[in-house]
Amino acid sequence: MIFAQDSEIVLTNLEMNTKNPHFGMALGPNGKILITSFKTNKKGRVIMDGIDPVLGLYEGNVEPSGEITDISPVEFAQSEDIEHIVSATYSPDGKKLYVTTKYGKRKNKPKGNFKETNLHIEVAEYIEGKGWSNFTVLPFCNPKFSYAHPSISADGKTMYFISSVKGQGSQFTRGKSDIYKVTIDENGSYSEPENVGINVNSYAQELFPFISRDNTLYFASSKPGGMGSYDIYKSEMDDEGNFKKAEHLSKPINSTASDICFVMVSDKTGYVTSKRKSGKGDDDIYYFVMQ
C-alpha cells in the first residue's frame, strides 16, 4: 500500500466533521476506525479540565463511500479512571487497545518529579459486558519523557510511536520528538525502544506514525521544506528492514495548513487530517481516492 505520487487524487471533507477537532485515526480489524475528539456531555457541550478540553476516544464505521458513520464513544470499564486520550490503536487481532494518555489524577500515577504534560502509552484488554479494562503502562515508558501515537505492524510484531527521550547517540531524540519502534515477542514482551533513524527523523518534530500493510511508514513532520506547519511524509522499508529517505507527499494530501494524521484504508483510499481554511472548524478528516 504505497502512496502513488503520480496519481490523480480526489479529496473529500467528511460529513462527520464539526467545529471540534477530529484526528488520531487508526483502523481496526473489525472494519471500524478510531478517532480522537473532544469529550462532550449529554447537551453536546465540551467537557473541560480547567481551561483545557478533555480528549476522548470514539469509534465509527467506515462506509464504502469513505464516510465515517455511527460514531460513538469507545466503551471503558466503569472501574477505569482513564480520562484523557490523545490517540489509540488496536492490535491486529483486535484483542488489545493501546492508548496515548497522561496520568493527571489517576491512581496509577508514578512517584517522583516529572512534567504533568508528559504522555505515555497504555494497553488494555476487552472484557465482555465491561468494556476495555486493566490498563497497564508499557514497561519502556519513563515518566520523565513523552511516548505517544502507537501504530502496530500488520504481523503484530513491531510497534511504532513517538518519544521525546533525551540523551546522546543514535538512540535518542534529535528534535522535539522522534519516531521509535519496539519489537513485541510471542509472549507479549517489548524490546527496548530503537530510534528508526535519520532517514525518517529530523531536528524538528515527528508525529503520528502509521505503518501500512507493506511496511511503508507514513508520518507528520515540521521539518524545513514542507508546505505548512506540519506535512505528511512516507518512508519505504528496504529488504534489510531499514527505512529509506523519507519523501514529502504532494498536493492535495499536503497543504499550506497543518496536516498531521494519515492512514491508508486500501491500495487507493485513505484518510488525512488537516486544518485547512476550507474546513468546518478545527482539524477535519478528509477522505482521499487515488484514481
Side-chain angles (χ1 to χ4, degrees), residues 71-203:
I71 299 170
S72 60
V74 172
E75 181 185 13
F76 298 114
Q78 290 185 354
S79 58
E80 297 295 340
D81 61 352
I82 191 166
E83 293 183 348
H84 183 90
I85 297 179
V86 175
S87 70
T89 193
Y90 289 117
S91 59
D93 61 8
K95 293 182 179 180
K96 294 180 179 179
L97 177 70
Y98 294 86
V99 303
T100 300
T101 186
K102 61 182 181 181
Y103 289 108
K105 300 176 182 178
R106 296 179 63 208
K107 298 174 184 175
N108 68 346
K109 187 174 181 178
K111 297 179 181 179
N113 296 321
F114 59 91
K115 290 183 180 179
E116 293 291 329
T117 54
N118 284 350
L119 300 169
H120 64 277
I121 303 171
E122 299 192 27
V123 62
E125 61 178 347
Y126 190 82
I127 298 178
E128 199 64 41
K130 292 185 178 180
W132 291 101
S133 308
N134 302 325
F135 281 85
T136 304
V137 180
L138 296 190
F140 55 81
C141 290
N142 182 333
K144 293 183 179 180
F145 307 108
S146 277
Y147 303 78
H149 310 164
S151 179
I152 300 177
S153 60
D155 62 9
K157 295 181 179 180
T158 310
M159 175 190 291
Y160 297 87
F161 56 94
I162 66 161
S163 181
S164 64
V165 174
K166 299 300 179 186
Q168 295 181 343
S170 62
Q171 294 309 312
F172 296 95
T173 304
R174 293 158 60 82
K176 190 174 180 180
S177 63
D178 277 6
I179 298 173
Y180 288 77
K181 67 177 182 178
V182 293
T183 57
I184 307 172
D185 68 22
E186 57 186 14
N187 297 317
S189 297
Y190 304 89
S191 68
E192 287 299 312
E194 178 185 348
N195 191 302
V196 300
I198 60 175
N199 281 340
V200 171
N201 292 314
S202 68
Y203 287 106

Side-chain angles (χ1 to χ4, degrees), residues 276-288:
R276 305 183 185 198
K277 290 182 179 179
S278 58
K280 297 181 181 179
D282 208 303
D283 294 302
D284 283 359
I285 297 176
Y286 293 79
Y287 178 66
F288 67 82

